[in-house]
Amino acid sequence: MTTDTSKRPSRFWLYLPFFFFALLITAYSAYWFWMRGELGKGVDAWIADQRAAGNVIEYADKKLTGFPYRFALTVDEPRFADRSNGVDWTGQELQLIMQPWNFYHVIGRSPGRNSFDLRGEEPITAILGSRSVASLSWTDTGIERFAVALDTADIVLTDGAASLQDFSLNFGAPDEDSSTMRLAVDIGEMSLPYVPDEIDWLGRAIGELRLRVEVRNFGVFLNRTNPFLPDPVADSSLQLAQFLVSWGPLKLGAKGDIQLSAQSCTPDGTLSVRLEETDALLVALSNANQLTEEIETGIKAVGNVSKNGGFAPITFKDGNVTFLGQAVAPLPQYCRTAESIGAN
């Protein structure tokens, strides 16, 4: 006997993925709104602590938005004044952004006017471009990376105005070695409010600047400049991977590797330099009445080496500076050894 009614296949497995997806979206949404509340409480608690410590925090409005991809704290007309350090900052708008899955990285934006009043120093006003941004990441042990990118920045000082275009700064440790710090700076164009009389022949406009530096045993390197510390227990070094600057008639490049020994208070190593368009540099120095026979000889020597892509070495060795094989000057000590401290 046959029947026209056949058993339909179950659609349970067809709907199951959609069920889990909807459950996941619901759980994530609940997490986001719960975490927004926790972050809001944390911000309010931090503001209360700062005010209790005597600092000034003012703002016209603040809000925490960004669902679903981020948490974005936006503060209108912020002001922060640290009474103990004499720092007073006001801005037009501050935005701090964090990803919901990473609370060790924050992105900050403060476009428009930023005014700084530093105790004992002249006030500074910086007008930042709309695409200017800063980034900070850290671990449980300290700061891991800091970066700033400014599309434009106009800086107003008491003595004049400066400007930056296409500025970027990156500072941090490579993933494989937290004791090594790397610094990278790039500037597309920069104008200065003034230059000292001795170098006013360079002008106030810098066309390009690039810097790449790596410091091994960064903490030891910093301690070397403390006159009250004995010799550290480790060596440190500074590697200048690249330096380029185009400043008026000066077209300078440099690289080098400097070692700072734990047993010595003078550096050892080599700084190599190159100069391009030396004829224009010599004319500018002559017009400024700053061209001596020794300077002219040195510039021409470096220029000749640079024509074939070479670099002229400046050597630091045994407490002395030598340039192109000729002794130039003794090196001053940049710290005090344990023996000299004990002798005083």
Side-chain angles (χ1 to χ4, degrees):
M1 182 177 179
T2 61
T3 176
D4 294 335
T5 303
S6 59
K7 186 177 181 181
R8 294 182 178 181
S10 172
R11 297 186 179 181
F12 173 78
W13 299 107
L14 177 64
Y15 293 128
L16 185 62
F18 295 97
F19 169 77
F20 279 117
F21 182 72
L23 184 62
L24 180 63
I25 293 297
T26 302
Y28 175 80
S29 300
Y31 161 78
W32 190 95
F33 285 101
W34 172 79
M35 184 54 68
R36 184 185 68 170
E38 293 300 304
L39 289 175
K41 294 177 184 177
V43 170
D44 291 339
W46 181 82
I47 292 175
D49 291 342
Q50 292 298 312
R51 287 173 173 170
N55 296 326
V56 176
I57 296 183
E58 299 173 348
Y59 52 87
D61 187 30
K62 67 178 177 69
K63 54 187 175 182
L64 190 55
T65 60
F67 180 81
Y69 304 113
R70 60 184 183 176
F71 296 108
L73 174 65
T74 302
V75 184
D76 296 331
E77 299 294 333
R79 181 193 174 201
F80 175 77
D82 186 334
R83 298 301 192 190
S84 60
N85 294 317
V87 177
D88 195 331
W89 165 75
T90 59
Q92 288 183 248
E93 180 185 88
L94 173 65
Q95 189 176 61
L96 301 176
I97 301 170
M98 300 182 76
Q99 297 172 319
W101 52 87
N102 184 3
F103 293 101
Y104 290 89
H105 179 211
V106 62
I107 297 172
R109 298 179 64 252
S110 184
R113 172 185 49 79
N114 291 265
S115 299
F116 302 88
D117 191 351
L118 308 178
R119 181 175 57 188
E121 303 291 339
E122 60 179 306
I124 300 172
T125 298
I127 311 298
L128 304 184
S130 60
R131 297 194 302 274
S132 299
V133 64
S135 173
L136 177 67
S137 59
W138 63 94
T139 64
D140 292 334
T141 58
I143 295 176
E144 182 179 56
R145 204 172 306 276
F146 174 70
V148 176
L150 308 177
D151 55 340
T152 61
D154 296 309
I155 304 169
V156 181
L157 306 170
T158 303
D159 296 330
S163 66
L164 293 171
Q165 290 189 10
D166 299 325
F167 170 84
S168 67
L169 180 149
N170 289 273
F171 178 80
D175 296 336
E176 67 275 8
D177 185 4
S178 60
S179 67
T180 298
M181 302 302 294
R182 292 174 177 170
L183 172 67
V185 178
D186 289 277
I187 301 176
E189 293 181 15
M190 178 170 61
S191 68
L192 304 174
Y194 61 89
V195 294
D197 294 338
E198 296 80 7
I199 58 171
D200 61 357
W201 53 272
L202 286 171
R204 295 193 303 159
I206 298 178
E208 180 184 11
L209 188 147
R210 176 175 296 180
L211 175 67
R212 301 287 185 274
V213 174
E214 180 174 292
V215 180
R216 183 175 61 87
N217 283 334
F218 183 71
V220 174
F221 180 84
L222 292 182
N223 286 342
R224 301 298 290 157
T225 62
N226 189 329
F228 301 105
L229 289 177
D231 286 338
V233 295
D235 297 340
S236 59
S237 66
L238 183 149
Q239 182 183 34
L240 178 62
Q242 185 181 42
F243 175 73
L244 296 172
V245 63
S246 176
W247 186 357
L250 178 65
K251 307 295 187 292
L252 172 67
K255 62 180 180 179
D257 196 349
I258 308 298
Q259 292 78 43
L260 306 179
S261 170
Q263 285 75 42
S264 173
C265 276
T266 56
D268 288 330
T270 301
L271 178 66
S272 301
V273 298
R274 58 179 288 115
L275 287 170
E276 298 181 355
E277 303 179 18
T278 54
D279 289 343
L281 179 59
L282 291 171
V283 170
L285 283 167
S286 177
N287 292 337
N289 295 319
Q290 295 189 25
L291 184 62
T292 65
E293 184 177 348
E294 292 79 7
I295 292 176
E296 182 177 3
T297 300
I299 290 176
K300 287 182 176 180
V302 176
N304 289 332
V305 173
S306 304
K307 287 179 180 178
N308 298 320
F311 286 79
I314 301 174
T315 303
F316 307 94
K317 186 69 174 178
D318 299 328
N320 294 302
V321 182
T322 59
F323 176 58
L324 295 175
Q326 299 295 320
V328 176
L331 279 170
Q333 289 193 342
Y334 61 87
C335 71
R336 297 170 64 191
T337 63
E339 290 78 8
S340 65
I341 293 174
N344 292 334

